[in-house]
Amino acid sequence: MQTFVTNEVLRRSDDYVPFDIVNRSGHSGLLRSTGHIEGTDVVWHTPYARRLYYHPEYNFQGAPTRGGNWVDRMLQNGGMIEIEKGARKVASK
């Protein structure tokens, strides 16, 4: 269950992460977040990820979708409901 929730937070947050933290993966040139999972935590390891996360006043490329507090904003924009629905499905199996 926790694995599902953590993976969903990472996946659903990708569209909210500022381009400054996004890189091009080797998979078909798709833009992907540099976020990854450590245990039950989603972590973005870039030197400036913390600064960008806690300063939504910065002028982000891709704004208003991309910007600071990306996980919180994803959860508020329907992500929490969708993750809960998915978790219920996983738990009922």
Side-chain angles (χ1 to χ4, degrees), residues 55-69:
H55 290 280
E57 71 273 8
Y58 291 154
N59 186 18
F60 293 104
Q61 181 182 3
T65 302
R66 296 184 183 274
N69 300 312

Side-chain angles (χ1 to χ4, degrees), residues 28-70:
S28 305
L30 298 174
L31 287 174
R32 288 190 57 221
S33 165
T34 57
H36 66 277
I37 297 170
E38 290 183 6
T40 59
D41 297 328
V42 178
V43 179
W44 283 268
H45 274 304
T46 61
Y48 40 82
R50 177 181 293 276
R51 178 171 39 95
L52 295 178
Y53 189 86
Y54 291 108
H55 290 280
E57 71 273 8
Y58 291 154
N59 186 18
F60 293 104
Q61 181 182 3
T65 302
R66 296 184 183 274
N69 300 312
W70 51 85

